[in-house]
PDB file of all heavy atoms in Angstrom:
ATOM      1  N   PHE A1476       6.456 -25.318 -19.192  1.00  0.00           N
ATOM      2  CA  PHE A1476       5.348 -25.979 -19.891  1.00  0.00           C
ATOM      3  C   PHE A1476       5.111 -25.342 -21.259  1.00  0.00           C
ATOM      4  O   PHE A1476       3.971 -25.274 -21.732  1.00  0.00           O
ATOM      5  CB  PHE A1476       4.085 -25.914 -19.035  1.00  0.00           C
ATOM      6  CG  PHE A1476       4.218 -26.641 -17.720  1.00  0.00           C
ATOM      7  CD1 PHE A1476       4.663 -25.975 -16.581  1.00  0.00           C
ATOM      8  CD2 PHE A1476       3.931 -27.994 -17.621  1.00  0.00           C
ATOM      9  CE1 PHE A1476       4.810 -26.641 -15.376  1.00  0.00           C
ATOM     10  CE2 PHE A1476       4.071 -28.663 -16.418  1.00  0.00           C
ATOM     11  CZ  PHE A1476       4.516 -27.989 -15.290  1.00  0.00           C
ATOM     12  N   GLY A1477       6.186 -24.823 -21.883  1.00  0.00           N
ATOM     13  CA  GLY A1477       6.055 -24.206 -23.209  1.00  0.00           C
ATOM     14  C   GLY A1477       5.289 -22.906 -23.105  1.00  0.00           C
ATOM     15  O   GLY A1477       5.634 -22.045 -22.297  1.00  0.00           O
ATOM     16  N   SER A1478       4.226 -22.774 -23.912  1.00  0.00           N
ATOM     17  CA  SER A1478       3.453 -21.530 -23.849  1.00  0.00           C
ATOM     18  C   SER A1478       2.141 -21.752 -23.103  1.00  0.00           C
ATOM     19  O   SER A1478       1.171 -21.029 -23.295  1.00  0.00           O
ATOM     20  CB  SER A1478       3.186 -21.012 -25.257  1.00  0.00           C
ATOM     21  OG  SER A1478       2.439 -21.989 -25.971  1.00  0.00           O
ATOM     22  N   TRP A1479       2.109 -22.795 -22.285  1.00  0.00           N
ATOM     23  CA  TRP A1479       0.903 -23.116 -21.506  1.00  0.00           C
ATOM     24  C   TRP A1479       0.415 -21.896 -20.725  1.00  0.00           C
ATOM     25  O   TRP A1479       1.219 -21.171 -20.163  1.00  0.00           O
ATOM     26  CB  TRP A1479       1.222 -24.282 -20.564  1.00  0.00           C
ATOM     27  CG  TRP A1479       0.053 -24.762 -19.741  1.00  0.00           C
ATOM     28  CD1 TRP A1479      -0.038 -24.750 -18.388  1.00  0.00           C
ATOM     29  CD2 TRP A1479      -1.161 -25.346 -20.222  1.00  0.00           C
ATOM     30  NE1 TRP A1479      -1.230 -25.286 -17.998  1.00  0.00           N
ATOM     31  CE2 TRP A1479      -1.956 -25.660 -19.095  1.00  0.00           C
ATOM     32  CE3 TRP A1479      -1.661 -25.633 -21.510  1.00  0.00           C
ATOM     33  CZ2 TRP A1479      -3.224 -26.243 -19.206  1.00  0.00           C
ATOM     34  CZ3 TRP A1479      -2.921 -26.222 -21.617  1.00  0.00           C
ATOM     35  CH2 TRP A1479      -3.686 -26.518 -20.465  1.00  0.00           C
ATOM     36  N   ALA A1480      -0.889 -21.682 -20.732  1.00  0.00           N
ATOM     37  CA  ALA A1480      -1.510 -20.519 -20.085  1.00  0.00           C
ATOM     38  C   ALA A1480      -1.048 -19.205 -20.712  1.00  0.00           C
ATOM     39  O   ALA A1480      -1.065 -18.160 -20.057  1.00  0.00           O
ATOM     40  CB  ALA A1480      -1.269 -20.534 -18.571  1.00  0.00           C
ATOM     41  N   GLY A1481      -0.629 -19.273 -21.980  1.00  0.00           N
ATOM     42  CA  GLY A1481      -0.279 -18.050 -22.698  1.00  0.00           C
ATOM     43  C   GLY A1481       0.872 -17.287 -22.092  1.00  0.00           C
ATOM     44  O   GLY A1481       0.950 -16.066 -22.191  1.00  0.00           O
ATOM     45  N   THR A1482       1.786 -18.007 -21.446  1.00  0.00           N
ATOM     46  CA  THR A1482       2.849 -17.350 -20.682  1.00  0.00           C
ATOM     47  C   THR A1482       4.219 -17.847 -21.141  1.00  0.00           C
ATOM     48  O   THR A1482       4.443 -19.053 -21.186  1.00  0.00           O
ATOM     49  CB  THR A1482       2.658 -17.658 -19.180  1.00  0.00           C
ATOM     50  OG1 THR A1482       1.378 -17.165 -18.775  1.00  0.00           O
ATOM     51  CG2 THR A1482       3.735 -17.016 -18.335  1.00  0.00           C
ATOM     52  N   SER A1483       5.122 -16.918 -21.482  1.00  0.00           N
ATOM     53  CA  SER A1483       6.451 -17.348 -21.928  1.00  0.00           C
ATOM     54  C   SER A1483       7.471 -17.378 -20.785  1.00  0.00           C
ATOM     55  O   SER A1483       8.367 -18.222 -20.770  1.00  0.00           O
ATOM     56  CB  SER A1483       6.954 -16.432 -23.044  1.00  0.00           C
ATOM     57  OG  SER A1483       7.052 -15.098 -22.581  1.00  0.00           O
ATOM     58  N   LYS A1484       7.342 -16.445 -19.845  1.00  0.00           N
ATOM     59  CA  LYS A1484       8.327 -16.358 -18.742  1.00  0.00           C
ATOM     60  C   LYS A1484       7.615 -16.087 -17.423  1.00  0.00           C
ATOM     61  O   LYS A1484       6.543 -15.479 -17.413  1.00  0.00           O
ATOM     62  CB  LYS A1484       9.281 -15.174 -18.978  1.00  0.00           C
ATOM     63  CG  LYS A1484      10.192 -15.334 -20.151  1.00  0.00           C
ATOM     64  CD  LYS A1484      10.991 -14.061 -20.349  1.00  0.00           C
ATOM     65  CE  LYS A1484      11.731 -14.133 -21.687  1.00  0.00           C
ATOM     66  NZ  LYS A1484      12.387 -12.861 -22.008  1.00  0.00           N
ATOM     67  N   VAL A1485       8.254 -16.496 -16.342  1.00  0.00           N
ATOM     68  CA  VAL A1485       7.733 -16.131 -15.022  1.00  0.00           C
ATOM     69  C   VAL A1485       8.871 -15.674 -14.102  1.00  0.00           C
ATOM     70  O   VAL A1485      10.023 -16.070 -14.281  1.00  0.00           O
ATOM     71  CB  VAL A1485       6.975 -17.290 -14.322  1.00  0.00           C
ATOM     72  CG1 VAL A1485       5.630 -17.546 -14.976  1.00  0.00           C
ATOM     73  CG2 VAL A1485       7.811 -18.560 -14.262  1.00  0.00           C
ATOM     74  N   VAL A1486       8.503 -14.835 -13.145  1.00  0.00           N
ATOM     75  CA  VAL A1486       9.419 -14.404 -12.088  1.00  0.00           C
ATOM     76  C   VAL A1486       9.202 -15.338 -10.895  1.00  0.00           C
ATOM     77  O   VAL A1486       8.054 -15.574 -10.502  1.00  0.00           O
ATOM     78  CB  VAL A1486       9.099 -12.960 -11.642  1.00  0.00           C
ATOM     79  CG1 VAL A1486      10.041 -12.514 -10.525  1.00  0.00           C
ATOM     80  CG2 VAL A1486       9.163 -12.001 -12.820  1.00  0.00           C
ATOM     81  N   LEU A1487      10.293 -15.876 -10.353  1.00  0.00           N
ATOM     82  CA  LEU A1487      10.187 -16.714  -9.144  1.00  0.00           C
ATOM     83  C   LEU A1487      10.599 -15.875  -7.937  1.00  0.00           C
ATOM     84  O   LEU A1487      11.693 -15.301  -7.923  1.00  0.00           O
ATOM     85  CB  LEU A1487      11.115 -17.928  -9.251  1.00  0.00           C
ATOM     86  CG  LEU A1487      11.007 -18.779 -10.520  1.00  0.00           C
ATOM     87  CD1 LEU A1487      12.006 -19.944 -10.455  1.00  0.00           C
ATOM     88  CD2 LEU A1487       9.595 -19.286 -10.737  1.00  0.00           C
ATOM     89  N   VAL A1488       9.736 -15.813  -6.952  1.00  0.00           N
ATOM     90  CA  VAL A1488      10.086 -15.043  -5.744  1.00  0.00           C
ATOM     91  C   VAL A1488      10.259 -15.993  -4.558  1.00  0.00           C
ATOM     92  O   VAL A1488       9.458 -16.901  -4.361  1.00  0.00           O
ATOM     93  CB  VAL A1488       9.035 -13.950  -5.435  1.00  0.00           C
ATOM     94  CG1 VAL A1488       9.091 -12.852  -6.497  1.00  0.00           C
ATOM     95  CG2 VAL A1488       7.626 -14.506  -5.328  1.00  0.00           C
ATOM     96  N   PRO A1489      11.348 -15.796  -3.778  1.00  0.00           N
ATOM     97  CA  PRO A1489      11.685 -16.758  -2.725  1.00  0.00           C
ATOM     98  C   PRO A1489      10.782 -16.659  -1.488  1.00  0.00           C
ATOM     99  O   PRO A1489      10.313 -15.578  -1.141  1.00  0.00           O
ATOM    100  CB  PRO A1489      13.125 -16.384  -2.361  1.00  0.00           C
ATOM    101  CG  PRO A1489      13.237 -14.934  -2.705  1.00  0.00           C
ATOM    102  CD  PRO A1489      12.331 -14.707  -3.881  1.00  0.00           C
ATOM    103  N   ALA A1490      10.569 -17.806  -0.863  1.00  0.00           N
ATOM    104  CA  ALA A1490       9.729 -17.901   0.339  1.00  0.00           C
ATOM    105  C   ALA A1490      10.313 -17.073   1.484  1.00  0.00           C
ATOM    106  O   ALA A1490      11.520 -16.878   1.584  1.00  0.00           O
ATOM    107  CB  ALA A1490       9.626 -19.361   0.778  1.00  0.00           C
ATOM    108  N   ILE A1491       9.428 -16.600   2.344  1.00  0.00           N
ATOM    109  CA  ILE A1491       9.821 -15.937   3.597  1.00  0.00           C
ATOM    110  C   ILE A1491       9.320 -16.782   4.759  1.00  0.00           C
ATOM    111  O   ILE A1491       8.164 -17.214   4.760  1.00  0.00           O
ATOM    112  CB  ILE A1491       9.173 -14.539   3.715  1.00  0.00           C
ATOM    113  CG1 ILE A1491       9.699 -13.591   2.638  1.00  0.00           C
ATOM    114  CG2 ILE A1491       9.408 -13.951   5.106  1.00  0.00           C
ATOM    115  CD1 ILE A1491       8.951 -12.259   2.588  1.00  0.00           C
ATOM    116  N   SER A1492      10.199 -17.002   5.733  1.00  0.00           N
ATOM    117  CA  SER A1492       9.788 -17.630   6.995  1.00  0.00           C
ATOM    118  C   SER A1492      10.280 -16.747   8.140  1.00  0.00           C
ATOM    119  O   SER A1492      11.380 -16.945   8.650  1.00  0.00           O
ATOM    120  CB  SER A1492      10.400 -19.022   7.133  1.00  0.00           C
ATOM    121  OG  SER A1492       9.992 -19.843   6.071  1.00  0.00           O
ATOM    122  N   PRO A1493       9.487 -15.765   8.548  1.00  0.00           N
ATOM    123  CA  PRO A1493       9.941 -14.879   9.622  1.00  0.00           C
ATOM    124  C   PRO A1493      10.167 -15.652  10.923  1.00  0.00           C
ATOM    125  O   PRO A1493       9.488 -16.648  11.168  1.00  0.00           O
ATOM    126  CB  PRO A1493       8.769 -13.905   9.803  1.00  0.00           C
ATOM    127  CG  PRO A1493       7.882 -14.075   8.617  1.00  0.00           C
ATOM    128  CD  PRO A1493       8.118 -15.458   8.107  1.00  0.00           C
TER     129      PRO A1493
END
Side-chain angles (χ1 to χ4, degrees):
Chain A
F1476 298 91
S1478 60
W1479 183 242
T1482 300
S1483 61
K1484 293 175 190 173
V1485 288
V1486 179
L1487 308 180
V1488 291
I1491 294 172
S1492 300

